[in-house]
Amino acid sequence: MSTRRLRTGLTAGALIAGVLVVAPPTVADPAAAETDYTLSVDAGGAGPTIDDTLYGVFFEDINQAADGGLYAELVQNRSFEYNQADHASFTPLTAWREVSAGATGTALAVDDDGRLNENNRGYLRLDLNGDGASAGDGYGLANAGWGGIALDAGAAYDFSVWARTDQSLTPLTVRLRDDQGADLADPLTVEIAGDGWARYSGTLNATGTTDAGEIVVTAGGAGSVALDMVSLFPRDTYLGRENGLRPDLAQRVADLEPSFVRFPGGCIVNTGSHEAYEAPDFPRERSFQWKETVGPVEERPTNHNFWGYNQSYGLGYYEYFQFSEDIGALPLPVLPALVTGCGENHHTDDPELLRRHIQDALDLIEFANGPADSEWGALRAEMGHPEPFGLTHVAVGNEENLAEEFYANFEQFRAAIEAEHPGITVVSNSGPGSSGPLFDHLWRLNTEGGVELVDEHFYNSPAWFLENNDRYDSYDREGPDVFLGEYASQDNTFYNALAEASFLTGVERNADVVKMASYAPLFAHETNHQWHPDLIWFDNRESWPSASYEVQRLFSTNRGHQVVPSEASGTPVPLEPITGAVGLGTWLTSAAYDDVTVTSADGETLFTEDFSAGAERWSGNGNGSWAVQDGAYVQHDTAAEDALVTAGDPGWHDYDLSVTATKQAGDEGFLIAFGVRGTGNHYWWNLGGWGNTVSAVERADGGAKSTLIQNGTTIETGRAYDIEIQVRGRQVTLLLDGQEWGSFTDDAVAEPFRQVVTRDLETGELIVKVVNAQQDAARTTIDLGADVQVGASAELTLLRGDPEAVNTRTERPIQPETSTLDGVDNTFVHTFPPYSVTFLRIPTD
């Protein structure tokens, strides 16, 4: 997962900077015009075989996906381990509040030698001021989970706690209540006996329903009682698993029929320290290391989560393996390579630590596949799974920017794994982007090293996905195969889903190269998400599929086994010159700009600004703190993101822009915009972006960005740079201090009509998949050729709707419609509706 958060909100027009963008901001007109197309299918021909592994899912604990999400635990901060390292607002008592039921006392979060164990260090001590009060009275704490505990009348909830007391007996009372304080279950009484830690449990049966429930735990009497691992699980977990998963979320994943589950990340895998949890001097922020996440849950440490919260590790490697097996998917774990990614860019040069992590990788394979009498296979058996899990793939690393250091470590992992476990495929990666010098360098290393499978990640605009349907057409068939491990168009509208569907037709057409693909991220909590878009949204009670989910599910369940050769006509697209005003901006940086000049191609001065008379001609987007200072226009706020000011004529084309820029302070460099056509629609030269590690030209369409060219240029503080951008038609040349930095031609076409045809070898059906991502209906003559006999009717599954439609908890405008299409023949005409994805399953002899 790349770390720069995405700005979204597609507002599409018919033509943006000469690139056809096909989603208008209004509902599709049912009486829209029709465009004529042809689709020729060689139904007797055979293309590449589609691997069973093509469509899977990627789970990362981002957007509260594990704790508060898929992991069914209802108590937040159950072991009192929250810490400011997790989030600046956290304390060991976060999510808990004091309650009194006829008694008083003091609640203290304690970390001392009286702890439950060395891994579970924090616990709660209740000092009671009572004198032997009954179990019905007491003092304690309440917890409402993640925004309220959802309770259902008639459902059972299993409570457990580890506790000890300095009294001979301390009564503990557990209640379920709504947000008005009304009991929603008969109280549960637990008697804590003795000063040794012990686990106590019981069941509460809800008598009412609420989305805003809480658990209340109070202790009666005098003295002190210590509590840890205060837990409440719904009895109804996915497949009834102990320490299990939330059923609706797990079922959403199962309904995708994924062939694999990539886990646990993502950025949480390879960020922070790579040292292990070794009490007491453990690193609070450390990479996800599998051995910390197995064994009894009360003995698993917690960890800082890269995305700004706490990970309990209740959902650990055993549970990931079990879930993968439960849904019939291969497990695909990702291990840290000791080179941090996701913007941290640090190489841990410690040969001994590297050897330990390599041994951990070997031990993981034994944990998954070893016999029950092996060291790590015995732990798996003890946890409840004596049979092997059937692990076949292990990935090493995730989005590393330090190519040489990463690949050197990867080679050592691969050599050790292949020596001991030759049947395991070791997956490498190509960094965090879809192109550029780092991407090319990593692909070169992987190709020269004979790597079997390379993981690509990219999050780009809808236009990029529409333009890059042919991305894999030119990939080397003799080189490594592709694992498309993370991808998404940058929003959750139906138009984004259409763009992704268009791209997937190209993925399937190249099934001889692309062997695995998984959208990302998988889950997002409605009230706590760090990333957008996401596949499945949820709150404390319900979940709902995004439009992209519906696309992913239909492609997965209509995959087929073999590509059938086919060809379709295209859409005429006019390519106009890059047109627009100019802009100056910063990201987490203070910079000064001066001497802005715009000159036409024939030398006419269109605009000049030295800020001697102020900056009245410039307008901003509301971000940052801009002011004229010492004859320059300065953005002062180093905490401001996307601070952009613009000036000039949106009709400008074929011009030169020059400006002098000086970085004053902050994390990055300069944003020099051109072709500005309104908010979120522009190009900019991002000099010193991504934490001052990379420079690139990005194109923004409706706020969603695509990278067109990049290299490793960084920006120095206090140095004045002369920047020039030459725009000629759709050709752009960029100069830095008088030297050509790079150039590109933005002439890719966002083709709205895409298709692929596959064959289901089990049913004999041809599966015709057509994406029509435009406001015109596509009247299409479909020619299946004379080499096949077809049935007279076909099953038709259709997704269609307003391109800006978004599925929510209360409304699902984008969901599949299934019907029967009559009149099918070897040649027939079918009209594909505006803004639609269609799956035709045509019976053949």
Side-chain angles (χ1 to χ4, degrees):
M1 179 67 68
S2 302
T3 56
R4 170 163 285 181
R5 297 181 184 179
L6 307 181
R7 276 69 57 200
T8 60
L10 180 71
T11 303
L15 192 68
I16 294 182
V19 178
L20 186 67
V21 178
V22 292
T26 57
V27 178
D29 182 359
E34 292 184 348
T35 301
D36 287 326
Y37 293 90
T38 60
L39 170 54
S40 300
V41 181
D42 180 7
T49 297
I50 302 173
D51 285 19
D52 291 341
T53 58
L54 182 58
Y55 292 116
V57 295
F58 165 47
F59 180 92
E60 179 176 11
D61 189 2
I62 181 177
N63 306 321
Q64 216 72 61
D67 297 306
L70 183 63
Y71 185 50
E73 173 66 75
L74 297 173
V75 177
Q76 183 180 181
N77 191 18
R78 65 184 178 186
S79 59
F80 308 97
E81 302 289 339
Y82 275 30
N83 187 289
Q84 282 188 326
D86 305 327
H87 191 278
S89 67
F90 282 3
T91 75
L93 289 178
T94 291
W96 295 92
R97 66 176 182 85
E98 184 181 41
V99 295
S100 176
T104 60
T106 304
L108 297 173
V110 183
D111 178 0
D112 62 17
D113 292 341
R115 64 181 63 90
L116 178 59
N117 56 61
E118 284 300 290
N119 286 345
N120 197 329
R121 302 181 66 78
Y123 66 96
L124 176 71
R125 192 181 77 214
L126 296 177
D127 295 329
L128 307 171
N129 296 332
D131 55 358
S134 70
D137 298 326
Y139 166 82
L141 296 177
N143 188 296
W146 287 265
I149 296 175
L151 301 170
D152 292 306
Y157 297 87
D158 293 325
F159 168 81
S160 65
V161 64
W162 284 81
R164 59 179 174 80
T165 179
D166 62 4
Q167 305 294 298
S168 59
L169 193 71
T170 296
L172 208 65
T173 302
V174 185
R175 291 180 168 86
L176 299 180
R177 289 179 171 169
D178 65 16
D179 56 347
Q180 302 301 310
D183 283 343
L184 294 180
D186 292 335
L188 171 68
T189 300
V190 177
E191 294 185 340
I192 310 303
D195 61 359
W197 285 103
R199 185 176 185 271
Y200 300 85
S201 62
T203 299
L204 297 107
N205 295 292
T207 57
T209 297
T210 184
D211 286 354
E214 63 178 6
I215 182 173
V216 181
V217 181
T218 55
S224 296
V225 61
L227 307 177
D228 205 345
M229 294 296 290
V230 182
S231 174
L232 185 70
F233 260 84
R235 179 72 57 79
D236 180 21
T237 61
Y238 187 65
L239 300 185
R241 298 290 185 197
E242 186 178 355
N243 194 49
L245 307 180
R246 186 172 138 175
D248 65 318
L249 295 182
Q251 190 60 52
R252 291 281 186 203
V253 180
D255 288 345
L256 289 166
E257 298 185 15
S259 58
F260 65 87
V261 178
R262 176 178 179 252
F263 66 87
C267 288
I268 66 171
V269 164
N270 66 335
T271 53
S273 168
H274 299 299
E275 297 290 343
Y277 184 100
E278 295 178 356
D281 298 321
F282 59 91
R284 181 68 187 193
E285 301 178 22
R286 58 196 188 280
S287 57
F288 198 110
Q289 299 173 49
W290 79 269
K291 289 180 179 178
E292 298 180 8
T293 75
V294 294
V297 291
E298 68 273 8
E299 296 178 8
R300 304 178 192 179
T302 68
N303 193 8
H304 159 84
N305 183 298
F306 176 84
W307 299 107
Y309 50 91
N310 178 274
Q311 302 176 79
S312 75
Y313 283 159
L315 178 55
Y317 258 73
Y318 177 83
E319 290 77 22
Y320 284 123
F321 279 126
Q322 183 66 74
F323 179 51
S324 300
E325 181 179 84
D326 285 344
I327 63 175
L330 296 172
L332 203 166
V334 185
L335 303 176
L338 273 68
V339 179
T340 55
C342 304
E344 292 190 354
N345 304 330
H346 176 67
H347 172 219
T348 301
D349 187 12
D350 184 338
E352 182 178 349
L353 184 60
L354 177 60
R355 284 192 292 272
R356 194 267 289 173
H357 274 266
I358 291 172
Q359 185 59 50
D360 283 354
L362 299 174
D363 293 343
L364 172 63
I365 297 169
E366 182 180 292
F367 175 77
N369 292 352
D373 58 359
S374 64
E375 178 183 1
W376 293 102
L379 176 59
R380 182 195 69 238
E382 182 183 339
M383 295 183 71
H385 201 286
E387 297 302 317
F389 279 115
L391 179 66
T392 59
H393 292 68
V394 171
V396 176
N398 174 76
E399 296 187 4
E400 286 77 17
N401 283 314
L402 304 177
E404 295 288 344
E405 294 86 346
F406 158 72
Y407 191 76
N409 286 2
F410 170 83
E411 284 281 31
Q412 294 192 56
F413 275 91
R414 183 172 65 154
I417 292 171
E418 289 182 346
E420 288 202 22
H421 304 281
I424 299 293
T425 297
V426 186
V427 183
S428 183
N429 76 82
S430 59
S434 55
S435 62
L438 174 65
F439 177 87
D440 294 339
H441 186 37
L442 279 166
W443 258 105
R444 184 166 58 253
L445 291 172
N446 286 311
T447 300
E448 292 171 352
V451 170
E452 185 173 346
L453 195 61
V454 175
D455 187 5
E456 291 190 352
H457 296 178
F458 37 83
Y459 300 89
N460 289 322
S461 69
W464 185 94
F465 281 93
L466 291 170
E467 293 165 7
N468 282 272
N469 177 273
D470 62 351
R471 175 182 177 86
Y472 296 112
D473 290 2
S474 59
Y475 270 47
D476 182 4
R477 266 52 187 172
E478 302 301 319
D481 289 329
V482 174
F483 171 27
L484 181 50
E486 296 185 33
Y487 69 95
S489 168
Q490 295 167 349
D491 207 343
N492 265 150
T493 71
F494 184 43
Y495 185 66
N496 296 90
L498 287 167
E500 292 153 3
S502 170
F503 189 76
L504 289 178
T505 65
V507 166
E508 288 194 359
R509 188 176 64 250
N510 288 279
D512 55 332
V513 170
V514 184
K515 300 300 183 181
M516 309 173 87
S518 49
Y519 180 103
L522 182 61
F523 286 120
H525 195 294
E526 188 177 41
T527 62
N528 185 11
H529 53 274
Q530 295 77 20
W531 192 268
H532 191 81
D534 303 282
L535 205 62
I536 301 168
W537 290 81
F538 65 94
D539 58 19
N540 63 344
R541 172 173 294 280
E542 295 187 33
S543 60
W544 53 96
S546 67
S548 294
Y549 174 97
E550 299 293 5
V551 162
Q552 296 291 324
R553 187 172 68 86
L554 287 174
F555 270 91
S556 180
T557 57
N558 291 279
R559 183 186 71 246
H561 302 92
Q562 186 180 57
V563 178
V564 177
S566 62
E567 185 175 357
S569 58
T571 308
V573 178
L575 284 176
E576 304 293 339
I578 293 175
T579 303
V582 299
L584 310 171
T586 64
W587 196 289
L588 300 176
T589 303
S590 173
Y593 294 103
D594 202 359
D595 298 327
V596 181
T597 302
V598 181
T599 307
S600 71
D602 59 9
E604 178 188 357
T605 299
L606 303 176
F607 182 88
T608 184
E609 179 71 86
D610 63 6
F611 301 105
S612 59
E616 297 301 321
R617 293 186 291 173
W618 296 82
S619 59
N621 62 3
N623 300 333
S625 176
W626 291 88
V628 175
Q629 178 181 322
D630 299 327
Y633 203 20
V634 182
Q635 199 293 108
H636 292 277
D637 187 357
T638 58
E641 298 181 348
D642 191 17
L644 184 67
V645 294
T646 61
D649 187 340
W652 282 343
H653 60 86
D654 297 296
Y655 59 80
D656 296 344
L657 163 65
S658 64
V659 60
T660 300
T662 305
K663 175 180 175 178
Q664 295 189 334
D667 294 343
E668 302 200 356
F670 315 120
L671 299 171
I672 312 300
F674 59 101
V676 179
R677 306 165 311 283
T679 302
N681 295 299
H682 58 258
Y683 297 78
W684 68 26
W685 189 3
N686 187 347
L687 285 159
W690 294 272
N692 204 17
T693 61
V694 177
S695 293
V697 176
E698 297 176 281
R699 188 187 73 212
D701 299 309
K705 296 181 177 63
S706 302
T707 299
L708 301 177
I709 184 175
Q710 71 179 54
N711 67 24
T713 301
T714 58
I715 297 299
E716 300 174 22
T717 301
R719 174 183 163 188
Y721 290 84
D722 291 327
I723 297 168
E724 184 176 355
I725 301 172
Q726 299 173 352
V727 181
R728 298 291 184 275
R730 303 201 63 77
Q731 169 76 31
V732 178
T733 303
L734 307 111
L735 295 92
L736 188 62
D737 289 333
Q739 301 296 314
E740 183 172 327
W741 177 89
S743 64
F744 65 92
T745 302
D746 186 15
D747 57 0
V749 173
E751 170 60 57
F753 185 80
R754 294 291 191 183
Q755 58 78 35
V756 69
V757 181
T758 64
R759 178 179 286 110
D760 188 324
L761 295 176
E762 295 177 357
T763 66
E765 294 169 307
L766 290 176
I767 310 174
V768 178
K769 311 168 194 184
V770 174
V771 181
N772 185 28
Q774 61 181 323
Q775 62 185 348
D776 292 344
R779 185 175 53 216
T780 306
T781 301
I782 301 174
D783 182 1
L784 302 177
D787 295 334
V788 65
Q789 182 176 348
V790 303
S793 61
E795 179 185 271
L796 185 152
T797 302
L798 178 66
L799 283 177
R800 61 179 169 180
D802 179 353
E804 293 199 343
V806 176
N807 286 349
T808 67
R809 175 177 175 170
T810 57
E811 296 183 354
R812 281 185 55 192
I814 306 302
Q815 51 185 312
E817 313 163 25
T818 300
S819 61
T820 298
L821 176 67
D822 296 321
V824 174
D825 205 337
N826 288 69
T827 301
F828 66 102
V829 176
H830 180 71
T831 299
F832 297 96
Y835 302 112
S836 66
V837 185
T838 302
F839 295 79
L840 282 173
R841 298 188 71 106
I842 302 174
T844 67
D845 184 356

